[in-house]
Amino acid sequence: QVQLVESGGGLVQAGGSLRLSCAASGRTFSRYAMGWFRQAPGKGREFVAAITYSGGATYYADSVKGRFTISRDNAKNTASLQMNSLEPEDTAVYYCAGALGVVPSTRPTAYDSWGQGTQVTVSS
């Protein structure tokens, strides 16, 4: 497993932007597919975006497509989520997650490494 730490959450007005970062420890980060999930109060954990271990392919939930961009820098052991045109419905705790050597999945159970989460609040 890799250890993951998210940062970059905060409070933003609707229409604004935030960039979340996920810092990974360990020498095997480049072998992990990475995903971002979110969980709003009273709801289950929801898939947001994912990226292959090489960064060659990305996947998005329909609700964020065209607004969010996932990326990674294997040299720096980081993954990022650029969030633009934020909406109040995007308010949640955001988690980054890693899955060793697999095609990215939309299922949380496919990931074996998780960060502690970072709060994103979008005001209307």
Side-chain angles (χ1 to χ4, degrees), residues 18-106:
L18 282 175
R19 185 177 181 87
L20 305 184
S21 294
C22 177
S25 63
R27 295 176 291 179
T28 59
F29 175 74
S30 61
R31 296 167 56 192
Y32 277 74
M34 296 298 297
W36 285 94
F37 291 78
R38 65 187 182 187
Q39 189 165 13
K43 296 187 176 181
R45 197 158 292 191
E46 176 190 23
F47 170 76
V48 176
I51 188 168
T52 56
Y53 64 90
S54 67
T58 57
Y59 308 83
Y60 297 94
D62 288 343
S63 59
V64 306
K65 201 171 294 184
R67 299 188 298 123
F68 291 11
T69 303
I70 188 172
S71 62
R72 68 187 297 157
D73 185 336
N74 286 343
K76 296 183 179 179
N77 278 15
T78 59
S80 299
L81 185 68
Q82 177 66 43
M83 305 186 296
N84 299 329
S85 302
L86 283 161
E87 303 168 354
E89 293 73 23
D90 296 317
T91 296
V93 177
Y94 283 71
Y95 299 88
C96 69
L100 181 63
V102 298
V103 175
S105 173
T106 61

